[in-house]
Amino acid sequence: MTEQGVRWTADQVLALAPDAASRKAGSKLGAAGPWSETGSRAEGTVWGLCKGSGSKPYQTVVDLAGAAGPGYKCSCPSRKFPCKHALGLLLLWSSGDGSVPVSAQPPDWAEQWLAGRHERAGNKRSRGEGDSAVGSADPEAARRRAERRAERVTAGVTELEQRLADLLRGGLAAAEQAGYGAWDETAARMVDAQAPGLASRVRELASVPASGPGWPARLLEECALLHLLDQGWAHRERLPEALTSTVRSRLGLPASADGPPVRDRWLVLAQYDTADPKLTTRRTWLHGADSGHTRLLLSYGAAGRAPELSLPVGLALEAELSTYPGAGQSRAALGERFAPPVPAAFRPPGVTTAEAAARYGEALRDDPWLEAVPVTLDRVVPVPDGDTWQLADADTDTALPLTRAARSRPGLWRMVALSGGAPVKVFGECGHRGFTPLTAWPEHTGEAVPLC
């Protein structure tokens, strides 16, 4: 890293914003006017005082090099993370106009928060090691807990099988009249059985009836996948170890990322949130420059609050990742980070649309419940196809349709504008419903453009 450090772009800073209102408010504070006593350190710490409506300025400090991702502290009363002052300070820093000079030592109020943050991170690692030691110290108690949970899951699976049998016996047409109530009750029973993965899939079934032409076939397909998952649990002793781990994962049983740590320069390919009334889930896709692996990080936040982990698209971080068990699983846990994220010049290698479809088909052999696989497409052009859109190979006569969700997002038009009829490289998720583009790059030059 250079003496001045590697600065983020304004787009990468604004990608941290928890909502559109914060982006707009933070952009207004990205000028030198309200700021004083600003400073930064090359390893990724930025601080400053921002004049507000009161007599005392707000004390704002950002740590971009924390082990759990960027951290923020501001004396303002906002409950958003990052707040508009943190965004404004980072925008001022990213401009590189000298408004945020490099300083050897932050002020006391910033140094105290940084020291506390680093201490908490160290304590968290120590607790994790201690918890592992405690868990291994009483394997008999752990075995009894696992047996009790397995009994509850088995009871839930048996009940769900009966529910599916009743549905098929009464005919799929009856599902259109039943409404959400029966499915919600069944989902609640799966939660009681400590199988949250089953509960989630049951709730998804409720949205299939009357969802458009062909819904009975889609409902039957989803019921078959649920039945297959139930049978996988019931006969787990006969399955290969990796497939057993996949079944447990799909049921929602906890597991540890016990794969060997892989140290690499991980490019942030995409990041997006999905929310329900109780939880916000953030999905972050990473690609290893040396290993060639594509891995998924999941982080969570309480309803209405963004998850803490935030890694803007287009940056790369040198870190260790450990994978979760299971056949064909991409999920990993972020371990030790060795440097703050910096803009990256490398891109992931791409494949054709035909190769992407084949890759999804191969992945289904390991995980029949897999919705999609991460894929980077090379030299594709977004083209309309009647009322839909598809990504067509520039050099062959093959194409992938876009999913319905992708067609309804503003990112579609961003991708079309970026292409202008020319080929682009696109990263996204390829599955049985089509392709969902998440990030695009111009074919030869340019920065990553988020599409989600």
Side-chain angles (χ1 to χ4, degrees), residues 144-163:
R144 289 195 298 269
R145 289 194 298 270
E147 287 181 350
R148 287 195 296 269
R149 180 160 192 169
E151 291 172 358
R152 286 191 286 268
V153 171
T154 299
V157 163
T158 302
E159 183 175 341
L160 180 57
E161 284 288 277
Q162 184 61 53
R163 173 77 173 91

Side-chain angles (χ1 to χ4, degrees), residues 330-357:
S330 299
R331 188 184 173 192
L334 180 61
E336 184 177 358
R337 296 173 61 181
F338 303 97
V342 297
F346 67 94
R347 305 286 182 263
V351 299
T352 66
T353 55
E355 290 169 332

Side-chain angles (χ1 to χ4, degrees), residues 97-191:
D97 63 359
S99 299
V100 183
V102 175
S103 175
Q105 186 66 29
D108 289 344
W109 54 267
E111 183 63 45
Q112 290 175 3
W113 177 77
L114 289 167
R117 174 171 161 82
H118 296 159
E119 182 181 355
R120 287 190 295 273
N123 291 340
K124 185 175 181 180
R125 286 193 295 270
S126 299
R127 285 196 302 270
E129 296 169 358
D131 290 345
S132 299
V134 171
S136 61
D138 192 357
E140 180 61 24
R143 184 189 63 79
R144 289 195 298 269
R145 289 194 298 270
E147 287 181 350
R148 287 195 296 269
R149 180 160 192 169
E151 291 172 358
R152 286 191 286 268
V153 171
T154 299
V157 163
T158 302
E159 183 175 341
L160 180 57
E161 284 288 277
Q162 184 61 53
R163 173 77 173 91
L164 294 176
D166 292 344
L167 172 65
L168 296 178
R169 188 180 300 109
L172 295 179
E176 189 173 7
Q177 309 299 325
Y180 285 85
W183 294 112
D184 285 342
E185 181 182 353
T186 303
R189 296 288 295 166
M190 297 305 103
V191 172

Side-chain angles (χ1 to χ4, degrees), residues 401-413:
L402 297 188
T403 59
R404 181 182 300 180
R407 299 196 301 268
S408 64
R409 295 174 179 170
L412 168 62
W413 303 109

Side-chain angles (χ1 to χ4, degrees), residues 348-357 359 375-380 393 425:
V351 299
T352 66
T353 55
E355 290 169 332
R359 184 173 295 183
V375 173
T376 301
L377 300 177
D378 249 342
R379 291 181 53 76
V380 292
D393 270 311
K425 181 189 286 282

Side-chain angles (χ1 to χ4, degrees), residues 9 11-12 267-268 313-315 343-348 418-419 423-426 439-450:
T9 66
D11 287 342
Q12 289 163 343
L267 172 66
V268 184
V313 173
L315 298 185
F346 67 94
R347 305 286 182 263
L418 182 69
S419 166
V424 292
K425 181 189 286 282
V426 181
T439 305
W441 298 263
E443 186 175 14
H444 299 297
T445 60
E447 298 172 348
V449 178

